[in-house]
Amino acid sequence: MMDIRILIGMPLWYAKSVLEGKNIPYVLEQTVSRSHYFSCDDQEIYVIRAVERDGVVHLVYNYSLKASDSVQQALHDGG
């Protein structure tokens, strides 16, 4: 089995293509941010965790986070 730690931080589509290219079975598990200080960019999906169980790689993914307007304003005003 390959070192699946290399998948962490990859765009989901790329991580899937790597696993498919090596014929490694995988399942997808989405997680969501509970923070109200950040919003999700649903155009950018990344692998945040990769775990192997019984020969199957579990890719946990989330949308890329971006600071909310209020956080951006606070950073701008404070910086």
Side-chain angles (χ1 to χ4, degrees), residues 3-58:
D3 183 358
I4 60 173
R5 293 177 296 180
I6 66 167
L7 302 171
I8 297 169
M10 279 185 185
L12 180 61
W13 66 268
Y14 189 72
K16 288 171 37 178
S17 70
V18 168
L19 294 172
E20 290 166 356
K22 296 182 179 293
N23 294 316
I24 298 174
Y26 65 89
V27 295
L28 302 176
E29 301 174 21
Q30 182 180 8
T31 186
V32 294
S33 173
R34 305 277 186 242
S35 173
H36 46 98
Y37 296 109
F38 296 88
S39 57
C40 292
D41 181 350
D42 61 2
Q43 299 301 308
E44 297 189 43
I45 306 169
Y46 290 92
V47 175
I48 62 169
R49 189 174 356 172
V51 179
E52 185 271 325
R53 290 187 209 122
D54 300 321
V56 177
V57 174
H58 293 250

Short mmCIF file of all heavy atoms in Angstrom, two decimals, residues 3-58:
data_model
loop_
_atom_site.label_atom_id
_atom_site.label_comp_id
_atom_site.label_asym_id
_atom_site.label_seq_id
_atom_site.Cartn_x
_atom_site.Cartn_y
_atom_site.Cartn_z
N ASP A 3 2.01 5.24 0.70
CA ASP A 3 1.94 6.12 1.86
C ASP A 3 0.81 7.12 1.61
O ASP A 3 0.98 8.09 0.86
CB ASP A 3 3.27 6.83 2.06
CG ASP A 3 3.29 7.71 3.30
OD1 ASP A 3 2.25 7.79 3.99
OD2 ASP A 3 4.34 8.31 3.57
N ILE A 4 -0.32 6.88 2.22
CA ILE A 4 -1.51 7.69 1.94
C ILE A 4 -1.41 9.08 2.56
O ILE A 4 -2.24 9.94 2.25
CB ILE A 4 -2.80 7.00 2.38
CG1 ILE A 4 -2.79 6.71 3.89
CG2 ILE A 4 -3.02 5.73 1.58
CD1 ILE A 4 -4.10 6.19 4.42
N ARG A 5 -0.41 9.33 3.38
CA ARG A 5 -0.26 10.68 3.96
C ARG A 5 -0.02 11.72 2.87
O ARG A 5 -0.31 12.89 3.07
CB ARG A 5 0.88 10.70 4.97
CG ARG A 5 0.58 9.85 6.21
CD ARG A 5 1.75 9.84 7.14
NE ARG A 5 2.88 9.17 6.47
CZ ARG A 5 4.07 8.98 7.01
NH1 ARG A 5 4.31 9.40 8.23
NH2 ARG A 5 5.02 8.37 6.35
N ILE A 6 0.48 11.29 1.71
CA ILE A 6 0.72 12.25 0.63
C ILE A 6 -0.58 12.82 0.07
O ILE A 6 -0.57 13.84 -0.60
CB ILE A 6 1.54 11.63 -0.53
CG1 ILE A 6 0.75 10.53 -1.24
CG2 ILE A 6 2.88 11.13 -0.04
CD1 ILE A 6 1.34 10.10 -2.56
N LEU A 7 -1.70 12.17 0.37
CA LEU A 7 -3.00 12.63 -0.14
C LEU A 7 -3.54 13.83 0.62
O LEU A 7 -4.38 14.58 0.12
CB LEU A 7 -4.01 11.49 -0.09
CG LEU A 7 -3.64 10.23 -0.87
CD1 LEU A 7 -4.61 9.10 -0.56
CD2 LEU A 7 -3.56 10.50 -2.35
N ILE A 8 -3.06 14.02 1.84
CA ILE A 8 -3.58 15.11 2.69
C ILE A 8 -3.19 16.45 2.08
O ILE A 8 -2.04 16.70 1.75
CB ILE A 8 -3.05 14.97 4.12
CG1 ILE A 8 -3.56 13.66 4.72
CG2 ILE A 8 -3.48 16.16 4.98
CD1 ILE A 8 -2.92 13.28 6.03
N GLY A 9 -4.19 17.30 1.91
CA GLY A 9 -3.98 18.62 1.32
C GLY A 9 -4.18 18.65 -0.18
O GLY A 9 -4.20 19.72 -0.78
N MET A 10 -4.32 17.48 -0.81
CA MET A 10 -4.54 17.44 -2.25
C MET A 10 -5.98 17.83 -2.57
O MET A 10 -6.89 17.55 -1.78
CB MET A 10 -4.35 16.02 -2.80
CG MET A 10 -2.97 15.60 -3.05
SD MET A 10 -3.00 13.96 -3.84
CE MET A 10 -1.26 13.63 -3.88
N PRO A 11 -6.19 18.42 -3.74
CA PRO A 11 -7.58 18.57 -4.20
C PRO A 11 -8.21 17.17 -4.29
O PRO A 11 -7.53 16.20 -4.67
CB PRO A 11 -7.44 19.19 -5.58
CG PRO A 11 -6.10 19.88 -5.55
CD PRO A 11 -5.24 19.00 -4.68
N LEU A 12 -9.46 17.06 -3.92
CA LEU A 12 -10.12 15.75 -3.89
C LEU A 12 -10.07 15.04 -5.23
O LEU A 12 -9.78 13.85 -5.30
CB LEU A 12 -11.57 15.90 -3.41
CG LEU A 12 -12.36 14.60 -3.32
CD1 LEU A 12 -11.72 13.63 -2.34
CD2 LEU A 12 -13.80 14.90 -2.94
N TRP A 13 -10.31 15.76 -6.31
CA TRP A 13 -10.32 15.12 -7.63
C TRP A 13 -8.97 14.49 -7.94
O TRP A 13 -8.90 13.42 -8.55
CB TRP A 13 -10.72 16.11 -8.73
CG TRP A 13 -9.72 17.21 -8.95
CD1 TRP A 13 -9.70 18.44 -8.37
CD2 TRP A 13 -8.56 17.16 -9.81
NE1 TRP A 13 -8.61 19.16 -8.80
CE2 TRP A 13 -7.89 18.40 -9.69
CE3 TRP A 13 -8.03 16.20 -10.66
CZ2 TRP A 13 -6.72 18.69 -10.39
CZ3 TRP A 13 -6.86 16.50 -11.35
CH2 TRP A 13 -6.22 17.74 -11.21
N TYR A 14 -7.88 15.12 -7.51
CA TYR A 14 -6.55 14.60 -7.78
C TYR A 14 -6.25 13.38 -6.92
O TYR A 14 -5.71 12.39 -7.40
CB TYR A 14 -5.50 15.69 -7.57
CG TYR A 14 -4.13 15.27 -8.04
CD1 TYR A 14 -3.85 15.17 -9.39
CD2 TYR A 14 -3.13 14.94 -7.13
CE1 TYR A 14 -2.60 14.77 -9.84
CE2 TYR A 14 -1.89 14.54 -7.55
CZ TYR A 14 -1.62 14.45 -8.90
OH TYR A 14 -0.39 14.04 -9.34
N ALA A 15 -6.61 13.44 -5.66
CA ALA A 15 -6.40 12.30 -4.76
C ALA A 15 -7.15 11.07 -5.27
O ALA A 15 -6.62 9.96 -5.27
CB ALA A 15 -6.84 12.66 -3.35
N LYS A 16 -8.39 11.27 -5.73
CA LYS A 16 -9.15 10.16 -6.29
C LYS A 16 -8.46 9.58 -7.51
O LYS A 16 -8.39 8.36 -7.66
CB LYS A 16 -10.57 10.62 -6.65
CG LYS A 16 -11.44 10.88 -5.44
CD LYS A 16 -12.77 11.54 -5.74
CE LYS A 16 -13.45 11.12 -6.99
NZ LYS A 16 -14.76 11.77 -7.21
N SER A 17 -7.93 10.44 -8.38
CA SER A 17 -7.27 9.93 -9.59
C SER A 17 -6.00 9.15 -9.25
O SER A 17 -5.69 8.17 -9.92
CB SER A 17 -6.97 11.07 -10.57
OG SER A 17 -5.94 11.90 -10.08
N VAL A 18 -5.28 9.57 -8.20
CA VAL A 18 -4.09 8.83 -7.77
C VAL A 18 -4.49 7.43 -7.31
O VAL A 18 -3.87 6.43 -7.71
CB VAL A 18 -3.34 9.59 -6.65
CG1 VAL A 18 -2.28 8.71 -6.00
CG2 VAL A 18 -2.72 10.87 -7.19
N LEU A 19 -5.51 7.34 -6.47
CA LEU A 19 -5.95 6.05 -5.96
C LEU A 19 -6.51 5.17 -7.08
O LEU A 19 -6.22 3.97 -7.14
CB LEU A 19 -6.99 6.24 -4.86
CG LEU A 19 -6.45 6.89 -3.58
CD1 LEU A 19 -7.60 7.21 -2.63
CD2 LEU A 19 -5.41 6.02 -2.92
N GLU A 20 -7.29 5.76 -7.97
CA GLU A 20 -7.84 4.99 -9.09
C GLU A 20 -6.73 4.49 -10.00
O GLU A 20 -6.80 3.36 -10.51
CB GLU A 20 -8.84 5.85 -9.87
CG GLU A 20 -10.11 6.10 -9.08
CD GLU A 20 -10.98 7.21 -9.66
OE1 GLU A 20 -10.60 7.86 -10.65
OE2 GLU A 20 -12.07 7.44 -9.08
N GLY A 21 -5.70 5.30 -10.20
CA GLY A 21 -4.58 4.90 -11.05
C GLY A 21 -3.80 3.73 -10.47
O GLY A 21 -3.16 2.97 -11.20
N LYS A 22 -3.86 3.56 -9.16
CA LYS A 22 -3.18 2.45 -8.49
C LYS A 22 -4.15 1.34 -8.09
O LYS A 22 -3.78 0.42 -7.36
CB LYS A 22 -2.43 2.97 -7.26
CG LYS A 22 -1.32 3.95 -7.61
CD LYS A 22 -0.59 4.40 -6.36
CE LYS A 22 0.54 5.35 -6.69
NZ LYS A 22 1.62 4.75 -7.44
N ASN A 23 -5.39 1.44 -8.55
CA ASN A 23 -6.44 0.46 -8.25
C ASN A 23 -6.61 0.24 -6.75
O ASN A 23 -6.78 -0.90 -6.30
CB ASN A 23 -6.17 -0.87 -8.97
CG ASN A 23 -6.28 -0.72 -10.46
OD1 ASN A 23 -7.20 -0.10 -10.96
ND2 ASN A 23 -5.32 -1.29 -11.18
N ILE A 24 -6.54 1.31 -5.98
CA ILE A 24 -6.74 1.24 -4.54
C ILE A 24 -8.17 1.66 -4.23
O ILE A 24 -8.58 2.76 -4.60
CB ILE A 24 -5.74 2.16 -3.80
CG1 ILE A 24 -4.30 1.70 -4.07
CG2 ILE A 24 -6.03 2.17 -2.30
CD1 ILE A 24 -3.23 2.62 -3.51
N PRO A 25 -8.94 0.79 -3.58
CA PRO A 25 -10.32 1.15 -3.26
C PRO A 25 -10.37 2.27 -2.22
O PRO A 25 -9.51 2.36 -1.34
CB PRO A 25 -10.92 -0.14 -2.72
CG PRO A 25 -9.76 -0.96 -2.26
CD PRO A 25 -8.58 -0.55 -3.11
N TYR A 26 -11.39 3.11 -2.35
CA TYR A 26 -11.53 4.22 -1.41
C TYR A 26 -13.00 4.55 -1.20
O TYR A 26 -13.85 4.18 -2.02
CB TYR A 26 -10.78 5.47 -1.91
CG TYR A 26 -11.33 6.05 -3.19
CD1 TYR A 26 -12.35 7.00 -3.17
CD2 TYR A 26 -10.84 5.64 -4.43
CE1 TYR A 26 -12.85 7.52 -4.35
CE2 TYR A 26 -11.34 6.17 -5.61
CZ TYR A 26 -12.35 7.11 -5.55
OH TYR A 26 -12.85 7.63 -6.72
N VAL A 27 -13.26 5.21 -0.10
CA VAL A 27 -14.59 5.76 0.17
C VAL A 27 -14.39 7.22 0.55
O VAL A 27 -13.32 7.62 1.02
CB VAL A 27 -15.34 5.01 1.29
CG1 VAL A 27 -15.66 3.59 0.89
CG2 VAL A 27 -14.58 5.04 2.59
N LEU A 28 -15.43 8.00 0.33
CA LEU A 28 -15.37 9.44 0.62
C LEU A 28 -16.23 9.75 1.83
O LEU A 28 -17.34 9.24 1.96
CB LEU A 28 -15.88 10.24 -0.58
CG LEU A 28 -15.15 10.01 -1.89
CD1 LEU A 28 -15.83 10.81 -3.00
CD2 LEU A 28 -13.69 10.37 -1.77
N GLU A 29 -15.68 10.59 2.70
CA GLU A 29 -16.41 11.04 3.88
C GLU A 29 -16.26 12.55 3.96
O GLU A 29 -15.16 13.06 4.06
CB GLU A 29 -15.84 10.39 5.14
CG GLU A 29 -15.89 8.88 5.12
CD GLU A 29 -15.19 8.24 6.32
OE1 GLU A 29 -15.00 8.93 7.35
OE2 GLU A 29 -14.83 7.08 6.21
N GLN A 30 -17.38 13.25 3.92
CA GLN A 30 -17.34 14.71 4.00
C GLN A 30 -17.47 15.16 5.45
O GLN A 30 -18.20 14.59 6.23
CB GLN A 30 -18.46 15.33 3.18
CG GLN A 30 -18.42 16.85 3.21
CD GLN A 30 -19.54 17.48 2.41
OE1 GLN A 30 -20.44 16.81 1.94
NE2 GLN A 30 -19.48 18.77 2.27
N THR A 31 -16.73 16.18 5.78
CA THR A 31 -16.88 16.84 7.06
C THR A 31 -17.23 18.29 6.77
O THR A 31 -17.02 18.77 5.66
CB THR A 31 -15.60 16.72 7.92
OG1 THR A 31 -15.86 17.26 9.21
CG2 THR A 31 -14.43 17.43 7.29
N VAL A 32 -17.79 18.96 7.74
CA VAL A 32 -18.17 20.35 7.53
C VAL A 32 -17.62 21.21 8.64
O VAL A 32 -17.45 20.77 9.77
CB VAL A 32 -19.70 20.54 7.44
CG1 VAL A 32 -20.27 19.85 6.22
CG2 VAL A 32 -20.38 20.02 8.69
N SER A 33 -17.34 22.45 8.31
CA SER A 33 -16.85 23.41 9.29
C SER A 33 -18.02 23.89 10.13
O SER A 33 -19.07 24.21 9.62
CB SER A 33 -16.19 24.59 8.58
OG SER A 33 -15.87 25.58 9.52
N ARG A 34 -17.80 23.96 11.42
CA ARG A 34 -18.83 24.47 12.33
C ARG A 34 -18.58 25.94 12.66
O ARG A 34 -19.37 26.55 13.37
CB ARG A 34 -18.83 23.66 13.62
CG ARG A 34 -19.00 22.17 13.41
CD ARG A 34 -20.45 21.82 13.25
NE ARG A 34 -20.61 20.38 13.19
CZ ARG A 34 -21.11 19.75 12.15
NH1 ARG A 34 -21.49 20.42 11.09
NH2 ARG A 34 -21.23 18.45 12.14
N SER A 35 -17.51 26.48 12.15
CA SER A 35 -17.14 27.86 12.47
C SER A 35 -18.01 28.85 11.71
O SER A 35 -18.24 28.69 10.52
CB SER A 35 -15.68 28.11 12.11
OG SER A 35 -15.36 29.47 12.26
N HIS A 36 -18.46 29.87 12.39
CA HIS A 36 -19.21 30.94 11.71
C HIS A 36 -18.29 32.09 11.34
O HIS A 36 -18.74 33.09 10.81
CB HIS A 36 -20.40 31.40 12.56
CG HIS A 36 -20.07 31.65 13.99
ND1 HIS A 36 -19.82 32.89 14.49
CD2 HIS A 36 -19.94 30.79 15.03
CE1 HIS A 36 -19.54 32.81 15.78
NE2 HIS A 36 -19.61 31.54 16.13
N TYR A 37 -17.00 31.94 11.63
CA TYR A 37 -16.02 32.95 11.24
C TYR A 37 -15.49 32.72 9.83
O TYR A 37 -14.85 33.57 9.27
CB TYR A 37 -14.84 32.96 12.22
CG TYR A 37 -15.26 33.37 13.61
CD1 TYR A 37 -15.27 32.44 14.63
CD2 TYR A 37 -15.64 34.68 13.88
CE1 TYR A 37 -15.66 32.80 15.90
CE2 TYR A 37 -16.04 35.04 15.16
CZ TYR A 37 -16.05 34.10 16.16
OH TYR A 37 -16.43 34.46 17.42
N PHE A 38 -15.76 31.54 9.31
CA PHE A 38 -15.29 31.19 7.98
C PHE A 38 -16.44 30.63 7.17
O PHE A 38 -17.33 29.99 7.70
CB PHE A 38 -14.17 30.14 8.06
CG PHE A 38 -12.95 30.64 8.76
CD1 PHE A 38 -12.82 30.53 10.12
CD2 PHE A 38 -11.93 31.24 8.04
CE1 PHE A 38 -11.69 31.01 10.78
CE2 PHE A 38 -10.80 31.72 8.67
CZ PHE A 38 -10.69 31.61 10.05
N SER A 39 -16.39 30.88 5.87
CA SER A 39 -17.38 30.28 4.98
C SER A 39 -16.65 29.29 4.09
O SER A 39 -15.42 29.29 4.02
CB SER A 39 -18.07 31.36 4.14
OG SER A 39 -17.11 32.10 3.41
N CYS A 40 -17.39 28.44 3.44
CA CYS A 40 -16.79 27.40 2.60
C CYS A 40 -16.85 27.80 1.14
O CYS A 40 -17.82 28.38 0.67
CB CYS A 40 -17.53 26.08 2.79
SG CYS A 40 -17.29 25.37 4.41
N ASP A 41 -15.79 27.49 0.44
CA ASP A 41 -15.72 27.70 -1.00
C ASP A 41 -16.00 26.36 -1.66
O ASP A 41 -15.13 25.50 -1.71
CB ASP A 41 -14.33 28.23 -1.39
CG ASP A 41 -14.20 28.49 -2.87
OD1 ASP A 41 -15.11 28.10 -3.64
OD2 ASP A 41 -13.19 29.08 -3.27
N ASP A 42 -17.23 26.16 -2.14
CA ASP A 42 -17.61 24.85 -2.66
C ASP A 42 -16.98 24.53 -4.02
O ASP A 42 -17.21 23.46 -4.58
CB ASP A 42 -19.12 24.70 -2.72
CG ASP A 42 -19.79 25.72 -3.63
OD1 ASP A 42 -19.10 26.53 -4.26
OD2 ASP A 42 -21.04 25.70 -3.69
N GLN A 43 -16.14 25.40 -4.53
CA GLN A 43 -15.41 25.13 -5.76
C GLN A 43 -14.05 24.51 -5.49
O GLN A 43 -13.40 24.02 -6.39
CB GLN A 43 -15.23 26.41 -6.58
CG GLN A 43 -16.53 27.06 -6.99
CD GLN A 43 -17.40 26.14 -7.82
OE1 GLN A 43 -16.95 25.59 -8.81
NE2 GLN A 43 -18.63 25.94 -7.40
N GLU A 44 -13.61 24.55 -4.22
CA GLU A 44 -12.30 24.02 -3.86
C GLU A 44 -12.47 22.99 -2.75
O GLU A 44 -12.71 23.34 -1.60
CB GLU A 44 -11.37 25.15 -3.41
CG GLU A 44 -11.10 26.15 -4.51
CD GLU A 44 -10.03 27.14 -4.13
OE1 GLU A 44 -9.03 26.73 -3.54
OE2 GLU A 44 -10.23 28.32 -4.43
N ILE A 45 -12.34 21.72 -3.12
CA ILE A 45 -12.55 20.62 -2.19
C ILE A 45 -11.21 19.92 -1.97
O ILE A 45 -10.55 19.51 -2.93
CB ILE A 45 -13.59 19.63 -2.73
CG1 ILE A 45 -14.88 20.37 -3.10
CG2 ILE A 45 -13.86 18.53 -1.73
CD1 ILE A 45 -15.86 19.53 -3.88
N TYR A 46 -10.81 19.77 -0.70
CA TYR A 46 -9.51 19.21 -0.37
C TYR A 46 -9.62 18.04 0.59
O TYR A 46 -10.53 17.99 1.42
CB TYR A 46 -8.62 20.28 0.28
CG TYR A 46 -8.20 21.34 -0.70
CD1 TYR A 46 -8.96 22.49 -0.87
CD2 TYR A 46 -7.07 21.18 -1.47
CE1 TYR A 46 -8.58 23.46 -1.78
CE2 TYR A 46 -6.69 22.14 -2.39
CZ TYR A 46 -7.44 23.28 -2.54
OH TYR A 46 -7.07 24.22 -3.45
N VAL A 47 -8.65 17.13 0.50
CA VAL A 47 -8.55 16.02 1.44
C VAL A 47 -7.93 16.56 2.72
O VAL A 47 -6.87 17.18 2.70
CB VAL A 47 -7.66 14.90 0.86
CG1 VAL A 47 -7.45 13.79 1.89
CG2 VAL A 47 -8.27 14.34 -0.42
N ILE A 48 -8.60 16.32 3.84
CA ILE A 48 -8.05 16.77 5.11
C ILE A 48 -7.56 15.62 5.99
O ILE A 48 -6.84 15.84 6.95
CB ILE A 48 -9.04 17.65 5.89
CG1 ILE A 48 -10.30 16.88 6.25
CG2 ILE A 48 -9.38 18.90 5.12
CD1 ILE A 48 -11.19 17.60 7.24
N ARG A 49 -7.95 14.39 5.65
CA ARG A 49 -7.48 13.22 6.39
C ARG A 49 -7.57 12.00 5.48
O ARG A 49 -8.49 11.89 4.66
CB ARG A 49 -8.35 13.01 7.63
CG ARG A 49 -7.85 11.97 8.58
CD ARG A 49 -8.68 11.95 9.83
NE ARG A 49 -9.64 13.03 9.72
CZ ARG A 49 -10.65 13.29 10.51
NH1 ARG A 49 -10.87 12.60 11.52
NH2 ARG A 49 -11.48 14.27 10.32
N ALA A 50 -6.64 11.10 5.63
CA ALA A 50 -6.65 9.84 4.88
C ALA A 50 -6.31 8.72 5.86
O ALA A 50 -5.28 8.78 6.52
CB ALA A 50 -5.64 9.88 3.73
N VAL A 51 -7.21 7.76 5.94
CA VAL A 51 -7.03 6.64 6.86
C VAL A 51 -7.27 5.36 6.09
O VAL A 51 -8.20 5.27 5.29
CB VAL A 51 -8.03 6.74 8.04
CG1 VAL A 51 -7.88 5.56 8.99
CG2 VAL A 51 -7.88 8.06 8.77
N GLU A 52 -6.45 4.34 6.34
CA GLU A 52 -6.62 3.04 5.69
C GLU A 52 -7.24 2.08 6.69
O GLU A 52 -6.76 1.95 7.81
CB GLU A 52 -5.27 2.53 5.19
CG GLU A 52 -5.37 1.24 4.39
CD GLU A 52 -5.28 -0.01 5.25
OE1 GLU A 52 -4.55 0.01 6.24
OE2 GLU A 52 -5.98 -0.99 4.94
N ARG A 53 -8.33 1.44 6.29
CA ARG A 53 -8.99 0.42 7.11
C ARG A 53 -9.31 -0.77 6.23
O ARG A 53 -10.05 -0.64 5.27
CB ARG A 53 -10.28 0.95 7.72
CG ARG A 53 -10.10 1.99 8.77
CD ARG A 53 -11.45 2.33 9.44
NE ARG A 53 -11.39 3.70 9.89
CZ ARG A 53 -12.22 4.67 9.52
NH1 ARG A 53 -13.19 4.43 8.69
NH2 ARG A 53 -12.07 5.89 9.99
N ASP A 54 -8.75 -1.91 6.58
CA ASP A 54 -9.04 -3.16 5.87
C ASP A 54 -8.80 -3.04 4.37
O ASP A 54 -9.59 -3.53 3.55
CB ASP A 54 -10.47 -3.63 6.14
CG ASP A 54 -10.72 -3.87 7.62
OD1 ASP A 54 -9.82 -4.41 8.29
OD2 ASP A 54 -11.82 -3.52 8.10
N GLY A 55 -7.72 -2.36 3.98
CA GLY A 55 -7.37 -2.25 2.57
C GLY A 55 -8.12 -1.19 1.80
O GLY A 55 -7.95 -1.05 0.59
N VAL A 56 -8.98 -0.44 2.47
CA VAL A 56 -9.75 0.62 1.83
C VAL A 56 -9.31 1.96 2.42
O VAL A 56 -9.21 2.12 3.64
CB VAL A 56 -11.27 0.44 2.07
CG1 VAL A 56 -12.06 1.59 1.47
CG2 VAL A 56 -11.74 -0.89 1.50
N VAL A 57 -9.03 2.92 1.54
CA VAL A 57 -8.62 4.25 1.99
C VAL A 57 -9.87 5.10 2.19
O VAL A 57 -10.73 5.18 1.30
CB VAL A 57 -7.67 4.92 0.97
CG1 VAL A 57 -7.36 6.35 1.37
CG2 VAL A 57 -6.39 4.11 0.83
N HIS A 58 -9.97 5.70 3.36
CA HIS A 58 -11.08 6.60 3.66
C HIS A 58 -10.55 8.02 3.52
O HIS A 58 -9.66 8.42 4.28
CB HIS A 58 -11.60 6.36 5.08
CG HIS A 58 -12.23 5.02 5.24
ND1 HIS A 58 -13.58 4.86 5.44
CD2 HIS A 58 -11.71 3.77 5.23
CE1 HIS A 58 -13.87 3.58 5.53
NE2 HIS A 58 -12.73 2.90 5.41
#
